[in-house]
Amino acid sequence: EIAQVHAGDIEVLNKLGFLYLSNLLRVKRALEYFDASLRLKHDQPEIIYLVGRLKTQYLEKLKPVWE
């Protein structure tokens, strides 16, 4: 898998995050890549903003399917 080969490359992780977010519409998976990127380099204002928005605007509004 690409993410395993390039686990230390924030550019690859961010591109994978955008792929999952924009093309595949898989927000939770995209967040995994963005979070991994931020763990490697904290100073990424655009990614920090995007992750914050996704978590507050999207994930917090999801309801578990069993409710």
Side-chain angles (χ1 to χ4, degrees):
E1 184 174 286
I2 295 172
Q4 292 174 343
V5 173
H6 299 279
D9 188 333
I10 62 166
E11 190 172 325
V12 171
L13 293 171
N14 288 338
K15 286 182 181 181
L16 285 168
F18 283 114
L19 171 74
Y20 274 92
L21 181 62
S22 301
N23 294 58
L24 304 176
L25 305 175
R26 295 184 59 194
V27 175
K28 288 182 181 182
R29 185 71 169 147
L31 280 170
E32 291 175 16
Y33 288 114
F34 293 137
D35 285 337
S37 173
L38 287 171
R39 282 193 297 274
L40 294 172
K41 183 180 178 197
H42 304 293
D43 185 27
Q44 299 183 75
E46 292 177 3
I47 302 300
I48 292 169
Y49 175 79
L50 177 61
V51 167
R53 293 287 302 230
L54 288 172
K55 287 180 178 178
T56 59
Q57 299 282 318
Y58 180 77
L59 290 182
E60 288 181 3
K61 294 181 180 182
L62 288 179
K63 294 184 178 182
V65 293
W66 55 85
E67 284 187 8

